[in-house]
Amino acid sequence: MIYIGNHLTSSKGFEAMGKMAMALGGDTFAFFTRNPRGGSAKEIIPEDAKRLCELMPAQNFGKLVAHAPYTMNVCSAKEDIRQFSKDMLKEDMTRMEYVPENYYNFHPGSHTGLGTEVAISMIAEALNEALTSEMNTIVLLETMAGKGSEVGAIFEELRGIIDRVELKDKIGVCFDTCHVWDGGYDIVNNLDGVLEEFDRVIGLDRLKAVHFNDSLNDCGSHKDRHACIGEGKIGLEAMKRVVQHPLLQGKPFILETPNEDAGYAREIALVRSWMV
Ligand code: FE
Ligand code: FE
Ligand code: ZN
């Protein structure tokens, strides 16, 4: 069994998102910690967060997978963007404490010309400044498609970041099926092999969540265009094998497919019908 849900908007608050997830048939969800395009964060109402924290165990929810804004880039060549991103990351860690024991996923970043090695050090430095031993959130590095100068399309790069992070129990990885495929890992013909490689390079104990997306493009395309489940190049059968894979059971799966509410409800039901 896995947990399934989709991205919801946080404008109406935490409890409203929990109820929305349930209305769509989900038992987890993702939300942006602030406007996905960046900017200031909405004020958190502690009682609202608390109501979600009560609703989740009562409804047997899996862990939530918060998402950092897309504008966050802690390894930008521009110093001001780097600093702004580090500040956002730190602030988001304190915000996540209102809904403790969940995940916070972020894109490692784009090196914008600095090169991968420099970027890896910068990402680790940002994490070392933001993570504290008291916090109750696990930060997830997302596997990336490798578009432009993105860091993290290769498992070794994620391993490089993790190696430099001091508080290793606070760090994990989110496995995005579209991104991994676009990054050149053939989850259609060799899902076992890809997971074996993940285990060898990073360790499967770090794989905490899945972004469950089909892809418009071919394996290794580095494009990052998501498709609805079964309507892309990964396809229905391969997507089903991901849901049913023994090594991925118990994890939250988040849909980031191009859908409205009705489409998400349909995909959630479809994934449920595959659950083992
Ligand atoms: Fe993402
Ligand atoms: Fe993703
Ligand atoms: Zn993507």
Side-chain angles (χ1 to χ4, degrees), residues 5-7 24 70 176-179 211-217 224-234 239 254-268:
N6 64 299
H7 256 277
L24 296 174
Y70 292 135
D176 186 310
T177 52
C178 167
H179 296 178
H211 278 175
F212 196 60
N213 309 307
D214 209 327
S215 171
L216 283 180
N217 295 290
D224 193 6
R225 299 278 313 280
H226 299 192
C228 289
I229 308 306
E231 293 175 16
K233 294 284 172 81
I234 299 176
M239 294 302 278
I254 303 295
L255 297 163
E256 298 176 310
T257 44
N259 275 308
E260 303 292 333
D261 287 350
Y264 282 125
R266 264 198 311 277
E267 285 191 344
I268 288 169

Side-chain angles (χ1 to χ4, degrees), residues 39 72 76 84-85 125 132 137 157 188 204 235 246 263 270 275:
M72 184 182 284
S76 170
F84 172 73
S85 300
E125 182 189 300
T132 65
T137 300
E157 294 175 0
V188 171
L204 275 171
L270 176 67
M275 275 189 207

